[in-house]
Amino acid sequence: MNFFERIQKLDRRYIYIVVALAIVIPLMIPYNSDNVTSPPTENLYQMIDSFAGRPDRAILLSFIHDASTMPELYPMEVAILRHCFERNVKVFALTWSPTAAPIIDFALNNVKEEYPDIKSGVDYCNFGYKPQALAMILGMGDNIATTISTDAEGRKLESLPIMNGITNYNEMNLVIEFSGSSAGGAWFVYARPKFGLNVAVGVTAVMAADMYPYLQSGQLIGMLTGLKGAAEYEKLVDVFAAYREPTRDYSIKKDANGYKLLPGRPFGKEILNDASTQKLIKITTQTKAVFTPQEYAGFVKKYPQQTAIFDNLKTQEGDNVVVDVTKITPALRDQMGEIAFADINRMTRNTIYKFKVARVGMNAQSVAHIMIILFIILGNIGYFIQKAKAAKV
Amino acid sequence: MSFELMSNLVGAFFTLCIFSFLYKDNPFYQMSEQLLVGISLGYGLVFTYERIFVPFLWQPIVLKHNFILIFPAILGTLYLFRFSRKLGWLSRYPIAFSMMSIGMGVPLGIHASILVQMRQGMVPLETVNLFLIFLGTIAVLLYFFFSKAHSGSYGKFVNVGKWYMMIGFGASFGLTVMARISLLIGRIQFLVNDVFGLLK
Amino acid sequence: MKKTIPLFVVIFGGLIFVAYAFSPHKFLQDDFYNKFYVPWSYAAAPFAALLGIISLSMMHTSKIKRRAPKWQFSYFFFAGFIVTALAGLIGGMQKGGLLMWMFENMQMPMSATMFSLLAFYMASAAYKAFRARSMEATVLLVAAIVVMLAQVPLGVKISKHLPSISQWILDVPNLASKRGIGLGVGLGSVATSLKILLGIERSYLGGGD
């Protein structure tokens, strides 16, 4: 048996070991990488963002999957919820599948932990498990509160503050279905023609290619594709919804005319392509807040009492002013107050693990894809050499 | 040891039991497989009881005296005659009842998966891409039209559809690889971060 | 009685549903659908679930009785089923209860891991089975490799243009082929529905007379 025959017959367990290593190593050693956003993701982001701060608009998340596809779909759900909580978008969640009910709780609780101001029944509402999808889909076109009746905690929907201004699909104008199998079918077959509801999907990558005809026809207004879609969405949230201007005071919630001021900033393609954006999407741990001198001046102006503390902490690196948050001791943190601490912490542009899971995963995905491609090429080289040799004999 | 860590270790144990199948079939894998089916079924039973049976059958009849619902309950029990060789035909009644709603799928299905897609296939061919999509759609449709032999210039045109499909399947395949790897990444993230991250 | 009445129910009820999809009339939307069909189908649904439970349990009982290969593991099926069912029926479904704990820490990790095994098989198949034997297979593999590379950050480092090429593949040739196939599937499923509706297709009622 020659070399090529031997590698053709390589025991599968060696391949399994290579696969495991190709995933474990990049997960253990995180590095910064950039996931280029695709139009279906951007469209969905913009649609959700257009509801920001509006009491008469809401989105519905429909969870139709079990734990088996969670690694692909769960990070999407977390990213979208984070977007909604950052930008004050009213959000509902429901499922037709018993196995998805705990997943809704996981996602909501996981994101809510980081947003103490966000309240169930006011900013979001979990309808929980509802049997009979079709009856609900059609019923909500008429009236959401009477169709759904009670939420997962057993409260009457009519009495919840979140329902103020929300009657049917005219207000709850967008549904996003997360699914490994149905992919929004029930919504765009039944609710879109009858009520003009906008439908988007978060699907496993397996079925993504099949959805393109529906994207082009507008039956779907956006789509997140597997882990990549989740990573793209996480990035968009970091760059826009969770962005904080160093100089703006976010404790002011209304402008001079009484209009609500929203944190974050609106979507802009040019911002995404701008070099400065790279600073905002690092997935390694960031501990240093980097300011230009003007930004620093504007930042400390918001905290006149803490200026001295910040001045003590700051160091000069080239043209920039740098504050290292690891140097803030617990005593210093007490002295500066939680609001100022949270603000300086945010200026480091550090993302906590749960909001970058998909991007950390995409690093491993990179290595794994290269590995699979090498496997295909190696396998083919062996095959053709063997074939050529057989032809000679 | 915290409760959370213990829970995660239980999860990790069963994760490794399933992974052990990669080496070879073994009792740990067999045990987990059967437990998985059993737990899923038990969960399904409780869920059906608490979220469907109680609120939609028990409470309406017992508390609200909506006795008409006894009829669908009897209809439902007819499902169980599936096991009887002699009276198996009775189970056709509930099946027929649930099949009725297929009527709604006809008009709405024609709309969503045929008419809207055809409309989008017939837009003015203003760009090269729209022309390519138009050409591809027609060629693929004709490829599956077997009433005319695929020969001559017609056969050549129909063959174009095959190439379109190969590219389409290639794209699906590439994305499928991505999906499978993502699932494994999710499990390894669980092991590395949720379990061993806590042990540190 | 055995077949005619069920067929009549499907045809008659199905035609009402066709009308329901077209007409906003109160009788169809409210009296028929909301007040009759929805509560009735809820009330009948639990028994369908019961059917599944009984059939699986019967399968495992007979496996144990017949001492079929790996029959011992059927006890684990019953253990899992009985413990979860009792935990849920006695302890309830709230978060923190035994049922939810078992579901979250046993069922969810196991079912997720079961699917993740596919990644290993896929890699092994990539090495052993994906051969560029013909021109068609080569095109398929090249399209797959372009899409795979374009999805990941490292691929974008190889060439800036990869994402737009991959997006074009998905947006144009992929879309055209999927639309062609989708139209075929759509027509097929509508035809099947119509056959059921008109009583031509009856296999869903099972065999016999």
Side-chain angles (χ1 to χ4, degrees):
Chain A
M1 196 153 63
N2 66 30
F3 173 72
F4 291 107
E5 276 171 9
R6 223 176 299 154
I7 63 163
Q8 286 279 290
K9 293 200 169 68
L10 189 69
D11 190 273
R12 61 195 163 82
R13 283 167 215 162
Y14 292 110
I15 298 174
Y16 295 166
I17 292 175
V18 177
V19 175
L21 289 178
I23 290 171
V24 173
I25 295 171
L27 283 180
M28 303 283 255
I29 312 165
Y31 58 90
N32 288 319
S33 56
D34 185 10
N35 291 285
V36 179
T37 51
S38 60
T41 312
E42 288 168 7
N43 293 343
L44 175 59
Y45 182 90
Q46 281 175 279
M47 179 92 184
I48 295 179
D49 208 60
S50 70
F51 295 175
R54 291 185 63 170
D56 60 342
R57 282 287 180 276
I59 67 167
L60 173 69
L61 308 181
S62 158
F63 292 61
I64 318 285
H65 66 99
D66 60 4
S68 57
T69 46
M70 242 175 116
E72 285 185 89
L73 303 175
Y74 184 70
M76 297 175 186
E77 294 150 9
V78 168
I80 289 179
L81 283 173
R82 182 179 174 218
H83 181 193
C84 294
F85 290 174
E86 285 280 358
R87 297 275 286 166
N88 278 329
V89 178
K90 284 185 175 180
V91 52
F92 300 111
L94 60 64
T95 177
W96 323 124
S97 137
T99 45
I103 298 175
I104 301 184
D105 286 331
F106 273 171
L108 280 170
N109 293 336
N110 195 12
V111 182
K112 198 178 65 178
E113 270 173 20
E114 311 303 322
Y115 297 90
D117 298 340
I118 295 291
K119 294 213 165 46
S120 167
V122 182
D123 305 288
Y124 73 92
C125 180
N126 176 12
F127 296 160
Y129 165 74
K130 297 285 164 196
Q132 295 287 341
L134 215 50
M136 294 284 160
I137 290 175
L138 296 168
M140 281 194 287
D142 190 31
N143 190 313
I144 296 168
T146 51
T147 305
I148 298 291
S149 174
T150 53
D151 75 348
E153 295 163 46
R155 298 175 294 188
K156 269 264 172 248
L157 226 55
E158 289 151 338
S159 59
L160 294 179
I162 191 170
M163 296 310 292
N164 287 340
I166 310 285
T167 314
N168 53 32
Y169 292 142
N170 290 334
E171 291 82 29
M172 190 178 77
N173 200 230
L174 171 66
V175 59
I176 306 154
E177 179 151 284
F178 303 100
S179 167
S181 53
S182 66
W187 297 99
F188 69 71
V189 172
Y190 297 107
R192 181 150 180 90
K194 254 182 120 122
F195 306 103
L197 172 72
N198 289 306
V199 185
V201 286
V203 291
T204 55
V206 175
M207 49 195 312
D210 298 347
M211 306 315 291
Y212 277 83
Y214 300 104
L215 279 170
Q216 194 222 13
S217 64
Q219 283 162 296
L220 296 176
I221 61 103
M223 172 172 78
L224 302 185
T225 304
L227 195 64
K228 166 87 180 338
E232 291 173 24
Y233 209 94
E234 281 180 355
K235 171 182 163 181
L236 291 176
V237 176
D238 263 350
V239 175
F240 301 108
Y243 178 78
R244 295 292 181 271
E245 199 79 52
T247 49
R248 200 183 122 188
D249 186 353
Y250 286 93
S251 61
I252 301 168
K253 302 245 193 269
K254 286 201 171 128
D255 71 2
N257 301 320
Y259 287 113
K260 231 180 177 173
L261 284 171
L262 285 171
R265 56 178 165 175
F267 179 87
K269 191 87 188 158
E270 65 295 336
I271 303 176
L272 267 183
N273 297 330
D274 194 70
S276 67
T277 300
Q278 290 301 322
K279 281 199 306 195
L280 306 175
I281 55 171
K282 290 189 172 157
I283 53 174
T284 49
T285 311
Q286 302 295 313
T287 56
K288 287 180 179 166
V290 181
F291 300 95
T292 62
Q294 295 87 345
E295 281 171 349
Y296 181 75
F299 181 80
V300 289
K301 215 168 136 196
K302 292 189 285 182
Y303 304 103
Q305 278 141 28
Q306 289 94 332
T307 308
I309 307 175
F310 285 128
D311 281 343
N312 272 334
L313 284 167
K314 76 170 184 194
T315 50
Q316 198 75 28
E317 278 183 21
D319 288 337
N320 293 330
V321 179
V322 174
V323 177
D324 189 342
V325 290
T326 54
K327 292 202 181 119
I328 302 175
T329 57
L332 212 52
R333 183 171 165 175
D334 282 347
Q335 217 179 324
M336 114 183 357
E338 273 315 300
I339 293 170
F341 178 76
D343 202 359
I344 189 77
N345 211 6
R346 210 152 189 168
M347 288 303 131
T348 62
R349 313 295 184 193
N350 185 39
T351 311
I352 55 174
Y353 181 75
K354 63 173 123 177
F355 296 144
K356 61 185 181 194
V357 176
R359 282 172 289 174
V360 173
M362 281 309 283
N363 281 350
Q365 191 95 45
S366 287
V367 178
H369 278 201
I370 305 275
M371 173 199 71
I372 296 267
I373 291 168
L374 284 180
F375 275 160
I376 294 178
I377 294 172
L378 272 180
N380 273 295
I381 291 176
Y383 168 75
F384 280 111
I385 289 179
Q386 215 183 337
K387 210 170 136 185
K389 280 204 174 143
K392 256 188 215 161
V393 177
Chain B
M1 193 157 72
S2 73
F3 181 68
E4 200 194 344
L5 176 59
M6 195 202 75
S7 306
N8 277 334
L9 282 177
V10 171
F13 170 74
F14 286 109
T15 301
L16 293 175
C17 281
I18 304 269
F19 274 143
S20 71
F21 184 72
L22 290 171
Y23 183 69
K24 64 176 194 201
D25 198 358
N26 64 73
F28 285 105
Y29 173 78
Q30 289 294 335
M31 173 199 74
S32 324
E33 195 187 19
Q34 296 304 337
L35 265 180
L36 171 61
V37 180
I39 296 175
S40 306
L41 200 67
Y43 180 80
L45 172 75
V46 178
F47 221 100
T48 312
Y49 174 77
E50 295 235 337
R51 301 284 164 88
I52 305 180
F53 180 77
V54 171
F56 295 106
L57 188 58
W58 185 256
Q59 286 176 350
I61 293 178
V62 175
L63 300 180
K64 293 181 195 151
H65 301 295
N66 190 357
F67 292 113
I68 192 101
L69 285 180
I70 290 173
F71 288 107
I74 294 170
L75 189 70
T77 49
L78 295 184
Y79 271 120
L80 304 180
F81 284 97
R82 196 93 202 137
F83 298 114
S84 153
R85 198 161 293 179
K86 259 183 118 181
L87 293 173
W89 58 273
L90 279 172
S91 68
R92 286 175 187 158
Y93 282 87
I95 294 174
F97 180 76
S98 66
M99 277 306 246
M100 275 159 56
S101 61
I102 205 165
M104 174 166 37
V106 174
L108 294 176
I110 291 177
H111 177 88
S113 58
I114 301 171
L115 293 183
V116 177
Q117 287 302 317
M118 278 182 25
R119 189 178 66 206
Q120 277 300 314
M122 293 190 270
V123 290
L125 305 176
E126 284 158 345
T127 63
V128 181
N129 283 344
L130 283 174
F131 172 72
L132 289 174
I133 292 173
F134 174 75
L135 186 80
T137 311
I138 301 284
V140 171
L141 277 173
L142 287 177
Y143 186 83
F144 289 108
F145 182 71
F146 298 114
S147 301
K148 185 170 158 57
H150 292 182
S151 57
S153 51
Y154 173 73
K156 276 190 187 128
F157 176 70
V158 168
N159 230 359
V160 173
K162 185 176 75 188
W163 294 104
Y164 267 90
M165 278 191 284
M166 284 304 146
I167 301 178
F169 293 147
S172 288
F173 169 63
L175 288 171
T176 303
V177 171
M178 172 160 129
R180 300 304 183 219
I181 302 273
S182 303
L183 297 183
L184 180 59
I185 289 173
R187 288 325 290 158
I188 294 186
Q189 275 179 326
F190 165 75
L191 285 178
V192 170
N193 185 65
D194 296 6
V195 181
F196 295 111
L198 268 173
L199 283 170
K200 246 187 273 170
Chain C
M1 184 70 180
K2 287 182 178 176
K3 214 162 197 176
T4 323
I5 295 180
L7 266 180
F8 178 75
V9 169
V10 173
I11 294 169
F12 183 70
L15 290 175
I16 297 181
F17 263 106
V18 173
Y20 166 82
F22 281 115
S23 157
H25 194 277
K26 185 182 162 294
F27 168 74
L28 290 166
Q29 300 291 332
D30 205 41
D31 295 334
F32 170 73
Y33 191 71
N34 286 339
K35 295 211 174 106
F36 164 70
Y37 190 75
V38 174
W40 276 50
S41 46
Y42 280 135
F47 300 96
L50 202 59
L51 181 75
I53 291 167
I54 294 176
S55 124
L56 251 176
S57 307
M58 271 165 50
M59 192 193 93
H60 280 279
T61 320
S62 88
K63 220 173 158 185
I64 293 174
K65 267 193 197 148
R66 284 187 291 112
R67 295 278 185 271
K70 294 174 185 165
W71 60 275
Q72 300 92 332
F73 294 102
S74 289
Y75 286 117
F76 284 105
F77 162 79
F78 283 111
F81 173 60
I82 292 167
V83 173
T84 16
L86 287 180
L89 294 176
I90 297 167
M93 302 204 48
Q94 74 289 13
K95 213 171 159 49
L98 180 61
L99 173 77
M100 281 329 241
W101 185 88
M102 283 180 74
F103 190 74
E104 285 165 9
N105 295 295
M106 293 169 79
Q107 201 274 357
M108 285 172 73
M110 282 195 280
S111 70
T113 313
M114 205 64 104
F115 271 77
S116 73
L117 292 181
L118 291 170
F120 291 100
Y121 303 146
M122 176 83 90
S124 167
Y127 185 67
K128 301 196 168 190
F130 300 151
R131 300 281 181 260
R133 282 200 177 88
S134 61
M135 205 51 211
E136 286 90 340
T138 314
V139 170
L140 190 149
L141 280 180
V142 169
I145 288 176
V146 170
V147 171
M148 274 164 70
L149 277 180
Q151 298 293 323
V152 292
L154 270 186
V156 179
K157 286 229 168 87
I158 295 169
S159 162
K160 273 200 321 242
H161 305 293
L162 264 177
S164 30
I165 298 172
S166 152
Q167 200 62 43
W168 181 84
I169 289 181
L170 287 165
D171 276 340
V172 180
N174 167 63
L175 188 151
S177 74
K178 298 292 155 64
R179 176 167 289 154
I181 295 170
L183 281 170
V185 172
L187 284 168
S189 69
V190 167
T192 312
S193 303
L194 273 176
K195 270 160 86 181
I196 292 174
L197 203 58
L198 299 173
I200 301 167
E201 161 71 49
R202 308 169 174 194
S203 59
Y204 64 93
L205 288 175
D209 49 10

